[in-house]
Amino acid sequence: MADHEILPPAVDAEALLALSREHHTRTARAWGTREVGGHLVKVYSVQAPGRAVTDQNVATALRIAGGHLELGATRGSLGLAVLIVHAGGDGDYVLIHSWIEGYMSDLTVFSGPADAPDQLRPGRVGLAPCVWEAAVLAHEREAFSRHLLDGDGALADRLAAWQADTLEGGVR
């Protein structure tokens, strides 16, 4: 009996197995921390095989993030954010993730065709991080909790530790 014959009907076995065959490592890189839109922003890139994130891509993403983050106070922002610039296999993405009141976060995704930064637009309602972007955000959730929520000492020292705690290399 094939594996998919014992699975619930809602599980698309063929699609899941196809994804597993194509799953691969992508490269994550930290680009430092910047002050943008009234926030302290950790910047990352994620690159699909054969794609590259350039200084221009990062500059465009920072401009987009600046406009978005300037309104952070209306969303209860705590002034800390993560920016991911993703040169994906099917297009380009910019994710702006900020920490807000009540242990919550705010996430906005911009998407567009590959190598067309002027065509990045807010993603459709419900669009969430892909597995590679989620790996970066999972690291950042841990860094935020470890250094800022559970840390001790002066806040400036905690922020410095958070800024230094970055993810580099292959993510799956």
Side-chain angles (χ1 to χ4, degrees):
M1 182 180 303
D3 285 343
H4 69 276
E5 292 176 12
I6 59 172
L7 297 175
V11 174
D12 188 339
E14 285 78 22
L16 285 171
L17 291 172
L19 284 174
S20 73
R21 286 188 295 274
E22 298 293 323
H23 189 226
H24 58 275
T25 299
R26 293 198 176 177
T27 303
R29 175 182 169 200
W31 290 70
T33 304
R34 321 276 172 83
E35 289 189 41
V36 180
H39 287 67
L40 196 55
V41 180
K42 284 173 76 172
V43 181
Y44 285 95
S45 64
V46 175
Q47 299 175 154
R51 300 285 318 281
V53 172
T54 66
D55 290 334
Q56 180 183 357
N57 298 128
V58 172
T60 298
L62 287 166
R63 180 184 49 75
I64 291 169
H68 177 75
L69 292 171
E70 285 175 357
L71 300 173
T74 62
R75 292 186 301 277
S77 179
L78 299 174
L80 301 175
V82 176
L83 174 66
I84 302 173
V85 184
H86 186 178
D90 62 347
D92 290 340
Y93 299 87
V94 170
L95 286 76
I96 306 162
H97 177 268
S98 56
W99 294 104
I100 63 173
E101 62 199 3
Y103 305 102
M104 296 177 66
S105 62
D106 182 76
L107 176 70
T108 299
V109 179
F110 290 78
S111 64
D115 300 317
D118 58 321
Q119 294 183 42
L120 285 164
R121 300 289 184 268
R124 65 172 174 74
V125 172
L127 184 62
C130 71
V131 295
W132 299 284
E133 297 155 353
V136 174
L137 293 176
H139 169 85
E140 282 303 313
R141 183 255 175 230
E142 291 299 317
F144 179 80
S145 294
R146 182 174 41 257
H147 300 296
L148 295 167
L149 299 180
D150 295 334
D152 54 17
L155 184 55
D157 294 337
R158 293 171 170 190
L159 283 171
W162 170 75
Q163 290 177 70
D165 188 343
T166 58
L167 177 65
E168 294 268 348
V171 294
R172 294 187 59 86

